[in-house]
Amino acid sequence: MIKSKKPRISLVGAGPGSSDLITRRGFKLLQSADVILYDALISKELLCEIDENIPKIYVGKRCNKHSYTQDSINKLLVEKAFECGHVVRLKGGDPFVFGRASEEIEYAENFGIPVTVVPGVTSAIAVPQSQGIPVTKRGVSSSFWVMTATKKDNSFSEDLKLAAQSSATMVILMGVRKFDAIAKNVSKYRGEATPVALIQNGTLKNETCVVGTLGEAMSLYRKVDVTQPGIIIIGNVVSEHPAFFEEELQRVLHDYM
Ligand SMILES: C[S@@+](CC[C@H](N)C(=O)[O-])C[C@H]1O[C@@H](n2cnc3c(N)ncnc32)[C@H](O)[C@@H]1O
């Protein structure tokens, strides 16, 4: 008699982009999966390293082009666990940072399916780091806020305003298309000379970064491809980026001439 496999789910953080930034525990689980459900920002190289006989199902949602709703992902997770056994749900960065992991855990547990979570390197810290920008630095910034700029209804979150009134480094996810509006909002509290960076496709071969001040946000915005995922960092730690000084020199020269 063939024993059917016990359903179980592992939520695994894949890290910020580069395929070698997944944890060893996460990678081991991927290799032992019966099926993998993966998000939009998962590296193709990482998936290629996993046995081709393990089915890999894309369940990404990017910029309103939802191929899957959260409800349908929850259902599929449970369906596949009963059908195949061990489902690895591979998520970008860390599953608990804007990853909707709690909803998936709750849904699966309602069906009595055990869920384990493997942390990942979050893009909120690794992407600025990839450009040499620390989120904290002794004497410069002693804390950081990780936030999304807008709420479900697309209005600016109260946290954005509160963080802008603090001296913390602001790390804003999912805000590329609102870059200019975010900069205008924050500069009301921090001033237009505050350093800002927008990093896209961090830790990948096509990583890009623009740096400047909040007052220059519009001209910086024109240089970027808004369809690419990015992180906005606001605060004095951005002046650690080598390009900030070049830009600063240009600004001083421009004002002097
Ligand atoms: C839904 S959130 C998920 C965050 C993820 N759980 C984490 O811990 O990194 C997706 C957002 O993370 C940011 N992001 C993720 N990977 C990125 C990367 N490699 N480069 C720049 N931004 C990235 C972008 O702001 C993107 O819109």
Side-chain angles (χ1 to χ4, degrees):
M1 192 179 81
I2 302 168
K3 250 189 168 181
S4 62
K5 289 188 178 176
K6 264 194 165 174
R8 68 182 176 111
I9 295 171
S10 304
L11 295 189
V12 174
S18 180
S19 62
D20 54 358
L21 286 175
I22 188 170
T23 63
R24 287 176 64 166
R25 189 186 298 180
F27 192 70
K28 266 191 194 166
L29 281 173
L30 272 178
Q31 289 171 313
S32 71
D34 293 309
V35 57
I36 297 169
L37 267 57
Y38 67 97
D39 274 348
L41 300 178
I42 301 301
S43 124
K44 286 196 182 69
E45 282 86 359
L46 175 60
L47 294 171
C48 285
E49 286 177 46
I50 308 302
D51 187 340
E52 59 183 4
N53 296 312
I54 301 176
K56 301 169 190 72
I57 305 172
Y58 173 79
V59 291
K61 13 183 168 78
R62 287 274 298 132
C63 298
N64 304 328
K65 286 180 214 147
H66 286 214
S67 52
Y68 273 84
T69 61
Q70 189 60 50
D71 276 351
S72 56
I73 295 172
N74 295 348
K75 283 183 190 138
L76 192 65
L77 265 174
V78 167
E79 243 173 68
K80 289 291 170 192
F82 282 122
E83 187 186 316
C84 311
H86 184 203
V87 181
V88 171
R89 171 78 175 101
L90 190 58
K91 289 175 166 286
D94 182 274
F96 278 3
V97 179
F98 298 119
R100 304 192 69 170
S102 308
E103 292 159 65
E104 294 175 12
I105 295 170
E106 211 172 290
Y107 190 85
E109 286 181 345
N110 279 337
F111 288 84
I113 302 173
V115 182
T116 52
V117 182
V118 179
V121 176
T122 180
S123 63
I125 298 173
V127 168
Q129 189 275 336
S130 175
Q131 284 290 324
I133 301 173
V135 287
T136 65
K137 187 183 176 189
R138 198 172 168 85
V140 180
S141 172
S142 60
S143 65
F144 61 98
W145 288 50
V146 177
M147 70 198 99
T148 171
T150 49
K151 297 188 287 193
K152 253 191 209 163
D153 64 4
N154 225 16
S155 65
F156 277 111
S157 81
E158 186 65 13
D159 279 358
L160 186 84
K161 197 167 139 191
L162 291 172
Q165 290 171 69
S166 77
S167 59
T169 302
M170 296 171 69
V171 182
I172 304 169
L173 273 60
M174 297 173 278
V176 174
R177 286 171 197 268
K178 297 221 159 174
F179 185 61
D180 189 46
I182 291 168
K184 282 203 176 78
N185 247 286
V186 178
S187 65
K188 280 190 225 153
Y189 304 95
R190 295 217 181 172
E192 291 202 334
T194 304
V196 62
L198 169 56
I199 307 165
Q200 294 179 285
N201 295 308
T203 78
L204 294 166
K205 287 190 191 93
N206 56 342
E207 174 171 329
T208 59
C209 175
V210 291
V211 291
T213 63
L214 290 178
E216 295 164 339
M218 199 32 150
S219 65
L220 295 174
Y221 186 65
R222 287 197 198 102
K223 294 182 191 169
V224 308
D225 174 355
V226 296
T227 64
Q228 299 303 302
I231 286 191
I232 299 164
I233 304 118
I234 301 175
N236 290 335
V237 286
V238 173
S239 58
E240 298 295 311
H241 193 283
F244 187 79
F245 279 105
E246 282 161 37
E247 300 287 333
E248 185 69 9
L249 194 64
Q250 293 304 321
R251 275 189 292 276
V252 172
L253 287 175
H254 182 266
D255 292 348
Y256 184 72
M257 308 270 267

